[in-house]
Amino acid sequence: SERTFIAVKPDGVQRGLVGDIIARFEKRGYKLVGLKMVTPTKEKAAEHYQDLSSKPFFGGLVDFFSSGPIVCMCWEGLDVVKQGRQMMGETQPLASKPGSIRGDFSIDLGRNIIHGSDSVESAERELAMWFPEGVNE
Ligand code: ATP
Ligand code: MG
């Protein structure tokens, strides 16, 4: 069934939000099939966000994403790419509804706690990058 790549960003790890985020996906009914903590290199961060390389905030985004450990996850289940994005909230935390992860935990666009793949194609690319060894069944 469908899989997505979710990462708790360095701010979320530092603030101790990993457990809450995992619990939300588990309680919703999704299955955790991949999990690891890594500190991304700048190169890996830039590759991850390659679609945004022309944006003025790209340098800051890469610096932030590589500033400390992130928790990489692969979640599996029905419609998980789209549903995961809904659980996250909007890119802009101030536009995110209470009850969403960003709406509950953040106010800063550049420190918005969590990443999630934005399409099935992005999920495949990102999972190949962060879990080249593969994930569990
Ligand atoms: P992510 O890919 O991290 O899950 P997203 O898909 O909601 O976030 P993207 O458009 O992919 O949003 O942007 C990636 C990240 O870049 C955002 O999460 C945000 O932290 C940052 N970002 C996006 N737009 C801006 C902006 N205008 N100014 C500063 N930072 C931004
Ligand atoms: Mg994105």
Side-chain angles (χ1 to χ4, degrees):
S1 76
E2 192 169 291
R3 287 174 175 165
T4 195
F5 176 69
I6 298 287
V8 183
K9 296 181 182 182
D11 58 330
V13 174
Q14 279 161 16
R15 290 176 55 196
L17 300 176
V18 172
D20 183 288
I21 290 167
I22 290 177
R24 288 176 187 233
F25 280 84
E26 285 186 326
K27 287 190 273 191
R28 184 83 192 272
Y30 290 118
K31 182 181 174 188
L32 185 61
V33 294
L35 177 69
K36 65 173 139 184
M37 179 179 261
V38 299
T39 299
T41 61
K42 291 222 174 162
E43 293 70 26
K44 203 92 185 279
E47 185 185 348
H48 174 73
Y49 282 119
Q50 62 185 32
D51 293 352
L52 300 172
S53 61
S54 64
K55 302 284 187 187
F57 58 83
F58 183 68
L61 176 61
V62 167
D63 284 349
F64 166 62
F65 200 68
S66 58
S67 67
I70 65 169
V71 172
C72 298
M73 297 178 276
C74 178
W75 288 96
E76 182 180 290
L78 281 177
D79 201 33
V80 70
V81 173
K82 191 174 97 191
Q83 298 301 321
R85 293 283 295 190
Q86 287 186 354
M87 290 164 69
M88 286 163 54
E90 305 296 321
T91 303
Q92 169 58 265
L94 297 179
S96 298
K97 291 199 178 84
S100 68
I101 292 163
R102 287 168 173 166
D104 285 348
F105 297 134
S106 59
I107 53 173
D108 182 341
L109 173 58
R111 300 282 185 279
N112 61 6
I113 307 290
I114 185 169
H115 162 82
S117 305
D118 62 11
S119 67
V120 171
E121 297 70 45
S122 297
E124 284 170 4
R125 182 183 77 82
E126 292 167 4
L127 288 170
M129 265 194 69
W130 296 103
F131 290 98
E133 70 279 22
V135 295
N136 293 276
E137 303 242 329

